[in-house]
């Protein structure tokens, strides 16, 4: 029997779809799952009639693979990934490649890379984005590890990835845990945009009294624009139009308002804090999920805290995409991307990842959850200035900010007056206002720090470190 080109461990929905993707692209495959019955079910179901076989144990699994072996692990991040690595390592030989395609914490990947350095096989930590559909039809992939390991995988990944006009949505990201770091930041931006779209739905519902179908029409319009055309806007329209099959009415209105999370948004914010990068839009989206989970407390608080009576506010007409609201959505989305890109730039310097920003923008243009037309502009911005300190100062984005900032400010103000929380809109507004202010009031913070703790301060008019004897006597 001829040996298979590709091996997959972990038959969750992502694993199943990725192996079907590889097989469809001409890579015969062998699969292994901890519970063999799951392997059998897959081979008798979605895997039937395909060049995919199943192995009952790891020895058999590796024996069925051609060398050098290419093995993708799609298992739960954390200890489950460590357990698989430990079990399979003794079977792997010189030149073989083990890929972790899960949402691993990038520090775990760094640790594993170090631990596995002495082994003869290669290790790749690869972010995979696109959900179940993307995995099957073509995801965006962010592989990190040694360049040589990547090159040995390139032909496989190029075929499996989503394709955009300038090539496949996969590229070599950098060494160590860089692939998982970039995927983590991708998810942070994803959290931000999801919350921004949720806030816009809330405002259309509560400030303009629109139905889910009417709101969906606005999302449909936004999806035709250069600034907002994106996968997340597209699926928001779909979510808003879906009807409850038993009771009728929009399904979305029947869903409990508590958002879950699996960790990547938190890791983005923790990394940003560690690296001293300002990511308020992303942080606000994470905090909004935390706040949403406190359903019982919020119900009680609403009964005791005064809430303003909502007064409708003109945000534009649905046929022109609610122009003021669109300003808020566009600028907040730009802020979310800007913060993510800035975080990657800082991480690249701190961890020597040597990230190529235009390439990252390129591989996010297809397959992944944050794919959008805006990424063309982001790619152009970093292509014309690879050292761009922040997207907000690229000429195209400057025009967006200058023309849309009054709209964002009006929306935040109207929401505040009506007691409607808009954490991402207001954080984005503050982010842009702070970034665009040459003189901030932190001179006074420095004065206080020096006053109570002699922490010293710098001056505007001369070099050096200064202390004032604030409280004389
Ligand atoms: C992707 C997604 C995916 C992520 C989910 C859920 O790029 O395909 O980012 O990897 O796991 O979106 O994430 P949360 O449960 O944390 O929202």
């Amino acid at each position: 029997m001829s040996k298979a080109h590709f091996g997959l461990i972990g038959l969750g929905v992502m694993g199943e779809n990725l192996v079907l993707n590889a097989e469809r692209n001409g890579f015969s495959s062998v699969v292994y799952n901890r519970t063999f019955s799951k392997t059998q079910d897959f081979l008798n179901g979605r895997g039937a009639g395909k060049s995919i076989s199943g192995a009952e144990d790891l020895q058999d699994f590796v024996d069925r693979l051609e060398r050098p072996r290419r093995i993708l692990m799609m298992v739960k991040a954390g200890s489950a990934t460590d357990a698989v690595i430990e079990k399979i390592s003794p079977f792997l030989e010189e030149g073989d490649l083990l890929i972790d395609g899960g949402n691993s914490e990038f520090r775990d990947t760094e640790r594993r890379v170090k631990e596995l350095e002495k082994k003869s096989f290669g290790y790749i930590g690869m972010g995979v984005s696109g959900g179940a559909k993307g995995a099957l039809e073509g995801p965006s992939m962010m592989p990190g590890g040694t360049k040589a390991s990547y090159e040995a995988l390139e032909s496989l990944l190029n075929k499996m990835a989503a394709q955009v006009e300038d090539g496949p949505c996969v590229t070599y990201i950098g060494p160590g845990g860089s692939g998982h770091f970039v995927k983590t930041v991708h998810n942070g931006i994803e959290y931000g945009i999801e919350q921004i779209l949720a806030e816009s739905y809330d405002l259309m519902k509560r400030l303009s009294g629109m139905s889910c179908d009417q709101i969906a029409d606005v999302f449909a319009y936004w999806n035709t624009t250069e600034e907002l055309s994106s996968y997340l806007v597209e699926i928001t329209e779909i979510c808003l139009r879906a009807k409850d099959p038993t009771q009728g009415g929009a399904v979305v209105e029947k869903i409990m308002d508590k958002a879950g999370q699996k960790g990547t948004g938190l890791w983005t914010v923790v990394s940003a804090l560690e690296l001293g990068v300002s990511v308020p839009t992303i942080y606000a989206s994470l905090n909004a999920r935390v706040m949403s989970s406190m359903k019982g407390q919020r119900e009680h608080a609403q009964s005791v805290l005064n809430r303003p009576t909502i007064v409708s506010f003109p945000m534009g007409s649905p046929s022109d995409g609610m122009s003021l609201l669109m300003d808020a959505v566009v600028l907040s989305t730009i802020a979310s991307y800007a913060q993510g890109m800035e975080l990657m730039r800082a991480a690249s310097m701190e961890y020597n990842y040597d990230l190529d920003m235009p390439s990252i923008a390129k591989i996010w243009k297809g397959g992944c959850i944050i794919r959008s037309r805006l990424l063309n502009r982001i790619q152009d911005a970093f292509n014309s200035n690879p050292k761009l300190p922040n997207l907000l100062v690229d000429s195209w984005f400057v025009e967006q900010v200058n023309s849309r900032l009054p709209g964002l400010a009006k929306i935040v103000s109207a929401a505040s007056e009506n007691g409607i929380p808009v954490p991402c809109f207001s954080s984005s507004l503050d982010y842009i206002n702070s970034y665009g202010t040459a003189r901030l009031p932190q001179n006074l913070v420095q004065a206080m720090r020096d006053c109570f703790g002699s922490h010293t301060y710098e001056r505007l008019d001369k070099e050096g470190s200064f202390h004032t004897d604030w409280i004389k006597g």
Side-chain angles (χ1 to χ4, degrees):
M1 200 174 75
S2 63
K3 304 249 180 189
H5 302 305
F6 174 65
L8 175 103
I9 300 177
L11 283 169
V13 64
M14 290 295 286
E16 279 193 16
N17 284 354
L18 284 165
V19 79
L20 291 169
N21 175 338
E23 195 270 351
R24 188 184 69 240
N25 281 297
F27 297 89
S28 59
S29 304
V30 51
V31 295
Y32 169 83
N33 196 73
R34 199 159 45 102
T35 17
F36 187 56
S37 59
K38 187 129 208 248
T39 306
Q40 287 170 312
D41 290 347
F42 173 68
L43 295 175
N44 293 327
R46 299 178 74 206
K50 308 222 150 50
S51 293
I52 304 178
S53 68
E56 199 165 355
D57 57 58
L58 284 172
Q59 176 72 71
D60 184 29
F61 175 72
V62 295
D63 287 348
R64 286 173 192 233
L65 283 164
E66 69 177 13
R67 294 202 48 205
R69 300 179 180 94
R70 291 173 287 199
I71 300 171
L72 175 63
M73 294 183 290
M74 290 304 295
V75 297
K76 208 163 176 285
S79 54
T81 302
D82 283 317
V84 172
I85 295 171
E86 196 183 325
K87 284 199 187 104
I88 197 158
S89 292
F91 299 107
L92 298 181
E93 296 168 274
E94 177 98 40
D96 289 349
L97 285 168
L98 185 60
I99 311 146
D100 170 16
N103 267 333
S104 287
E105 222 264 81
F106 84 105
R107 285 185 209 286
D108 279 345
T109 306
E110 295 284 354
R111 167 180 57 79
R112 289 170 189 142
V113 164
K114 286 211 172 62
E115 282 167 9
L116 297 172
E117 245 163 26
K118 34 194 179 305
K119 309 265 185 199
S120 57
F121 63 87
Y123 187 77
I124 294 262
M126 182 168 79
V128 178
S129 177
K133 196 162 182 280
L136 184 63
E137 293 172 4
S140 171
M141 291 181 279
M142 295 147 251
T146 64
K147 192 84 197 277
S149 296
Y150 172 74
E151 277 160 7
L153 278 175
E154 203 171 2
S155 60
L156 170 79
L157 298 181
N158 278 346
K159 287 216 172 96
M160 287 177 72
Q163 308 291 323
V164 288
E165 66 288 353
D166 42 0
C169 292
V170 61
T171 191
Y172 174 63
I173 297 290
S178 61
H180 279 134
F181 184 84
V182 169
K183 174 65 199 320
T184 298
V185 176
H186 164 286
N187 281 27
I189 298 170
E190 171 187 306
Y191 276 44
I193 299 173
E194 287 168 351
Q195 175 64 24
I196 289 160
L197 300 181
E199 288 173 20
S200 67
Y201 143 80
D202 203 24
L203 291 180
M204 283 189 265
K205 185 167 82 169
R206 296 168 70 192
L207 280 186
S208 300
M210 293 162 72
S211 69
C212 283
D213 279 325
Q214 288 170 326
I215 300 171
D217 290 341
V218 174
F219 277 89
Y221 174 88
W222 287 350
N223 203 28
T224 63
T225 63
E226 178 183 11
E227 295 87 341
L228 290 180
S229 173
S230 61
Y231 172 71
L232 283 169
V233 167
E234 181 190 323
I235 63 161
T236 307
E237 182 199 345
I238 295 171
C239 293
L240 286 164
R241 289 204 198 282
K243 302 287 177 287
D244 186 82
T246 49
Q247 299 165 358
V251 188
V252 81
E253 295 303 344
K254 310 242 152 76
I255 298 177
M256 172 69 78
D257 49 329
K258 286 162 82 169
Q261 52 173 309
K262 298 200 194 73
T264 44
L266 171 73
W267 302 336
T268 304
V269 172
V270 169
S271 290
L273 293 174
E274 283 173 355
L275 291 165
V277 177
S278 176
V279 296
T281 308
I282 296 173
Y283 171 69
S285 67
L286 178 73
N287 190 54
R289 290 194 189 192
V290 173
M291 187 60 92
S292 80
S293 69
M294 297 156 59
K295 176 78 172 168
Q297 285 193 49
R298 289 188 286 114
E299 278 170 342
H300 170 68
Q302 182 173 317
S303 69
V304 294
L305 300 176
N306 284 343
R307 313 298 304 139
T309 308
I310 294 199
V311 181
S312 82
F313 174 79
M315 296 190 289
S317 74
S319 57
D320 71 0
M322 312 293 285
S323 55
L324 278 191
L325 183 61
M326 184 168 160
D327 288 342
V329 175
V330 171
L331 286 194
S332 302
T333 301
I334 288 173
S336 193
Y337 279 113
Q339 293 162 24
M341 301 310 276
E342 171 61 359
L343 175 55
M344 288 191 296
R345 212 173 59 87
S348 184
M349 289 190 289
E350 180 68 20
Y351 307 133
N352 297 318
Y353 283 161
D354 197 19
L355 299 179
D356 184 68
M357 309 299 271
S359 301
I360 293 170
K362 183 206 126 184
I363 65 164
W364 284 354
K365 291 199 301 187
C368 72
I369 305 296
I370 63 167
R371 61 186 184 261
S372 66
R373 274 172 69 188
L374 203 56
L375 280 158
N376 287 307
R377 294 289 183 179
I378 297 176
Q379 186 184 13
D380 290 348
F382 284 102
N383 261 331
S384 52
N385 179 5
K387 291 197 166 41
L388 186 69
N390 190 304
L391 268 186
L392 296 182
V393 293
D394 167 82
S395 57
W396 188 84
F397 290 92
V398 165
E399 267 179 44
Q400 291 293 319
V401 172
N402 289 345
S403 63
R404 296 183 186 277
L405 199 56
L408 171 59
K410 284 189 186 112
I411 291 294
V412 171
S413 154
S416 307
E417 277 168 23
N418 283 284
I420 300 174
V422 283
C424 276
F425 288 158
S426 53
S427 306
S428 302
L429 178 62
D430 277 338
Y431 175 71
I432 297 169
N433 279 339
S434 297
Y435 193 66
T437 297
R439 175 97 168 133
L440 289 169
Q442 272 60 35
N443 48 328
L444 183 57
V445 173
Q446 287 296 80
M448 287 182 253
R449 292 178 66 240
D450 190 54
C451 177
F452 64 68
S454 302
H455 292 292
T456 73
Y457 54 86
E458 289 175 274
R459 291 180 61 104
L460 292 169
D461 52 355
K462 47 189 173 191
E463 294 270 305
S465 178
F466 298 87
H467 168 67
T468 295
D469 192 7
W470 300 92
I471 307 163
K472 299 215 166 55

